[in-house]
Amino acid sequence: MLSVAILAAGKGTRMESSLPKVLHKISGKSLLQRVIDSCVELNPDQIFVITGHKSIEVQESITENKKIQFVIQDPQSGTGHAIQILCKAVKKNEGKLLVLNGDVPLIKPETLNKLLNLHDSKNADVSLITTKKKNPYGYGRVFLKRDLIERIVEEKDCNDLERENPLINAGVYCFNWGNLSKIINTLQSNNNQKEIYLTDTISLLKNSLSLEIEDNGELQGINNRIQLSECEESIQNSIKEKHMLNGVTFINKASCSISEEAEIGKDVIIEANTHIRGNTKINSHCIIGPNTFIENSNVGLHCEISNSTVYDSQIIDHIKIGPYSNIRPKSKISSFSKIGNFVEIKNSQLEEESKVNHLSYIGDSIIGRSTNIGAGTITANFDGQKKHQTKIGKNSSIGANTVFVAPINLGESVTTGAGSVITKDSKDNSLAISRTKQVNIENWERKKS
Ligand code: UD1
Ligand code: MG
């Protein structure tokens, strides 16, 4: 039987944040969710998440999972105190208890499995992951006696000599739960932080094993924003390396960020300062960026998007977007279309080969195939209470500065006069024009001041 306990009750004082530490995100996912996702891969029988500081906020942040039970630790008197509360709250303290710090987010399921295997094969009381760090500052130092761990000394309790020990505790432990529960209530808080340390269980248990692994960034604990940013960089590097090996070019890798879920096709070029977030798919032969943000969208083959933002939308094939376009949610731009400078599109469908090249707002609209929307065209979709639809048929030619007062429905091959305010529907092949006729007054003399 395998149970997992994730320690997530602390405030995270060193983050200097109103957000609980475990809810800070790296590459779009919270530290806690990452730890949960990693341990779910082991298929444990039950998962306990120990919350305390802003516990409701922390509990609500988690993706639902039937195996998860919450245990409240209030006040938060240390990692050992958290496990004391867990042992009391759970009737049967038996089998293996894998304890994971909620602030060690990059831990891999393979590494956790290695720990479980070592633990089983040696029938240990506790096994924990250690690594040698060049700069071990802030971590508990692990002291071995022959093959076993003798004790762990926290940074704040170390003397100068102990502080030089590079072998650190990663905050990932597997306990024989029965044996742990026998000694858990004997822990004391007579240390410099006046906290009950889980690490003090090591010297109270007999058979304490260390699984030392190479310091590859996976064991980075996050206690402050510098470490948060180091973890972000490490995860981003591995995401981008994966894409580069699959045929994606990054012009300026360091200035870009890519979500873990993103899919990018071959021969895509990602220009500088481009950010691909959420569940986005970029198909082959696209040039994305510079200065572009795309979230939860699908971009087809051979598209070029520069200096623009795209949210929750579908961009089909051979489309040019930008510079300075803003494609807002629920938009669909069909093949061979062009969205140009300073154009905002929202909840609209543009059929093939349509063009909105300059300075326009197209909202709640359906634009037919091969229709050209002149510069400065606005769909006035909001009457102060409700949003209304604009429909323009195929092969239409919309004059510059046309305002469509929605709801409005124009047929196919319609032309509108530049500067018109269109308030009435019009049929196929018509010209819709609404503006005062120009008057020329000749020999007009300006008043002298
Ligand atoms: C802890 C370890 C240290 C190890 C390091 C690895 C202890 C005493 N020290 O130190 O040996 O090298 O992790 O990253 O365990 N938490 C609770 N309840 C509490 C206090 C903390 O649930 O009362 C949670 C926190 O939310 C956090 C985790 O436990 O997710 C670790 O706490 P933190 O304060 O970050 O411990 P470290 O100082 O990093
Ligand atoms: Mg920590």
Side-chain angles (χ1 to χ4, degrees), residues 209-222:
L209 299 182
S210 153
L211 174 66
E212 187 182 329
I213 66 168
E214 207 190 318
D215 179 22
N216 56 5
E218 184 187 348
L219 305 178
Q220 176 72 54
I222 294 184

Side-chain angles (χ1 to χ4, degrees), residues 79-98:
T79 48
H81 177 242
I83 297 299
Q84 284 178 341
I85 291 192
L86 173 75
C87 292
K88 211 171 164 192
V90 179
K91 267 193 193 153
K92 289 185 178 168
N93 293 184
E94 53 187 36
K96 287 191 288 276
L97 179 67
L98 181 67

Side-chain angles (χ1 to χ4, degrees), residues 7-11 14 21-22 50 73 76-79 81-82 101-104 138-140 152 154 168-171 173 195 197-199 221-223:
L7 303 179
K11 178 170 184 272
R14 291 163 280 181
K21 174 169 67 176
V22 293
I50 296 154
Q73 183 202 10
Q76 298 87 45
S77 309
T79 48
H81 177 242
N101 281 1
D103 65 347
V104 182
Y139 291 90
I152 300 179
E154 291 303 302
I168 63 102
N169 164 29
Y173 321 75
E195 282 187 5
Y197 292 159
L198 181 61
T199 45
I222 294 184
N223 296 311

Side-chain angles (χ1 to χ4, degrees), residues 232-243 260:
E232 178 75 49
E233 199 179 321
S234 137
I235 205 162
Q236 279 301 316
N237 279 338
S238 61
I239 292 171
K240 286 177 237 172
E241 274 166 24
K242 176 189 86 180
H243 289 299
E260 281 170 297

Side-chain angles (χ1 to χ4, degrees), residues 29 37 43 71 97 100 155 209 293 353 426 446-447:
K29 208 194 268 183
D37 290 352
N43 198 20
V71 175
L97 179 67
L100 305 173
E155 170 78 33
L209 299 182
F293 184 102
E353 294 172 12
S426 65
R446 258 186 262 157
K447 275 187 191 159

